[in-house]
Amino acid sequence: MSRKVLIQIRRGLEKDIVTLAVGELGYCEDSKKLYIGSKGGNILLAANKSFGDMLKTVYDTNNNGKIDMAELADKVPWDGIIGKPNSFPPSVHNHDISYIKKAPLTWNNLKGV
């Protein structure tokens, strides 16, 4: 049984996007982003030419190259951290001179250290 139903999606320029109703879709014709309305506001579903799920516009809102939550974590004083160890005892390292001279210091060399 076929249905003849037309689903409308709100569309326009991103600067003009309104708060969408819960479940309502909004497509930004200029930025090619797709949003859906929720109780907490618009949620970005997809962005043109984006890869993965970490969009700079969402996670680095001030565009300074550092994730906003990492900036917030940097502002917590050390005595405000819970569950941290009381001390940091030294540990034995068994790296002989041949290991140190083996290769130039690079990130790939350090990953296994």
Side-chain angles (χ1 to χ4, degrees):
M1 175 169 153
S2 69
R3 292 188 194 181
K4 293 187 179 185
V5 176
L6 177 63
I7 298 175
Q8 291 282 340
I9 298 176
R10 188 179 296 267
R11 63 185 187 274
L13 300 178
E14 185 167 15
K15 69 177 183 65
D16 299 328
I17 194 168
V18 297
T19 302
L20 301 166
V22 174
E24 182 181 22
L25 295 173
Y27 177 69
C28 302
E29 294 173 320
D30 54 341
S31 64
K32 311 291 190 243
K33 293 179 183 173
L34 179 65
Y35 290 88
I36 189 167
S38 74
K39 289 181 182 178
N42 297 346
I43 298 172
L44 180 64
L45 292 178
N48 184 35
K49 297 182 183 175
S50 66
F51 301 97
D53 62 352
M54 290 191 69
L55 300 172
K56 187 173 184 77
T57 56
V58 174
Y59 294 99
D60 183 16
T61 56
N62 60 3
N63 198 28
N64 69 351
K66 189 168 187 177
I67 295 172
D68 297 339
M69 292 304 286
E71 289 180 315
L72 183 62
D74 286 345
K75 294 177 183 174
V76 175
W78 182 248
D79 60 356
I81 307 290
I82 57 173
K84 64 182 181 271
N86 293 327
S87 65
F88 298 90
S91 60
V92 176
H93 292 81
N94 296 321
H95 303 301
D96 62 18
I97 195 69
S98 65
Y99 176 82
I100 296 168
K101 290 182 174 181
K102 177 171 60 174
L105 191 59
T106 66
W107 173 248
N108 287 331
N109 295 6
L110 291 174
K111 285 194 293 190
V113 175

